[in-house]
Amino acid sequence: MRILMVSVDFLPSIGGVAAHIYNLSKSLSMMGHHVDVLYTNLSNDDSVRDYQLDGFNVREIHIKPNRVKSLRIIHRNRIIKNNIEEMQELRGNYDIIHQHDFLSSTFPCRAFSKKWIWTNHTSGFLKTFDKFYGKMLIKVLYNKVRGIISVSTEINEKSKSIFKNTTCFEIPNGVNNVDFNPEIIGNKASFGLSGKDYIILCPRRMVEKNGIIYLAEAAKYIIENDLIPNAVFVFLGNDESQSIRSDYVDKIHNTLSALDENKRRKHIKFMGNLPMSEMPRINAMADIVVIPSLMEAVSLSALEAMASGTPVVASNVGGLPQIIHNGVTGFLVDSRSSESLVNALVQASRSDMSKIIENAINLVSEEYTWSVVAKRTLEIYKKVR
């Protein structure tokens, strides 16, 4: 089968959508299918770069940003559509065109509606769904899609409420349990940390929906009151543009800047966007991973931590309760609550986590590997063709 993945997000972004496309493409190519990835990237030029990555082909399209949003959208849509047509001429017609963003590449994919599949990943869908015009907008834009794959029960149920006559499926994110496993050795010194440090890792982009500000508030309280000796809070990711400090990122930094300077330097580390190749080691190095999201599907970051044998504290939202069973495979906390985060982190730091770690590893290995996701996705491709 010939498959084209289309998105505005791909590696080296550390986001879950980028990792999903990479792992799904790699797994499908290992099963003998021809997979291409086409994605757009804001840049200072309009160049196109083709390269191979782990058994599949990637086309990276650079698009100059335009201050006028409507013109930027029209320009991007035209370029995506033209490149899909060009790739089909060069490489043969695709059996499936699989969209992985929300809205950004919808119009170009609509032009190939007989082979169009959409994976509904994002919080953008949930935000739009809750607006007074949202359901109608989504229905109009996606009325020609052949099938919708959702990565959590919440997203699937809301998709089905709009698309009553469209085939909707639920396939959660998977995890690469070869790269992410409890045998991986995480060396704290290689990340500039001490072996005595208790590492609390937040592997999330600094955007509002990820709830990082509540972890920052919790970190400040824990550090000021010395509730977890030798605690070091490690923040990954940047804001959405990955280059411009947003007001939200400034809010996070300002919250932590209220700490005594020596305490801040000792207990707070910002590591930015690490390469995906580093994520297995940093997950293995961490003592606990925090996913403080305000809305979320089945979080890939949480699954990667669980597969690595690192306990997870996560908000009780979206698809997170599907994988985090409180006190069994991790800890669930109230969203938008720094107090809940403080309590859970202190409890975790003082508890024997061996059983929780074992339960989490077993759950991931049985239900959430990429080989399982790829096989289920392939079954959907065949159903809708």
Side-chain angles (χ1 to χ4, degrees), residues 229-242:
N230 300 317
V232 176
F233 290 81
V234 175
F235 294 86
L236 303 187
N238 203 336
D239 63 342
E240 285 181 326
S241 70
Q242 298 186 2

Side-chain angles (χ1 to χ4, degrees), residues 161-180:
S161 73
I162 299 174
F163 301 99
K164 301 184 186 300
N165 298 319
T166 302
T167 306
C168 295
F169 308 89
E170 180 183 344
I171 304 179
N173 281 318
V175 65
N176 180 346
N177 62 343
V178 175
D179 291 341
F180 295 89

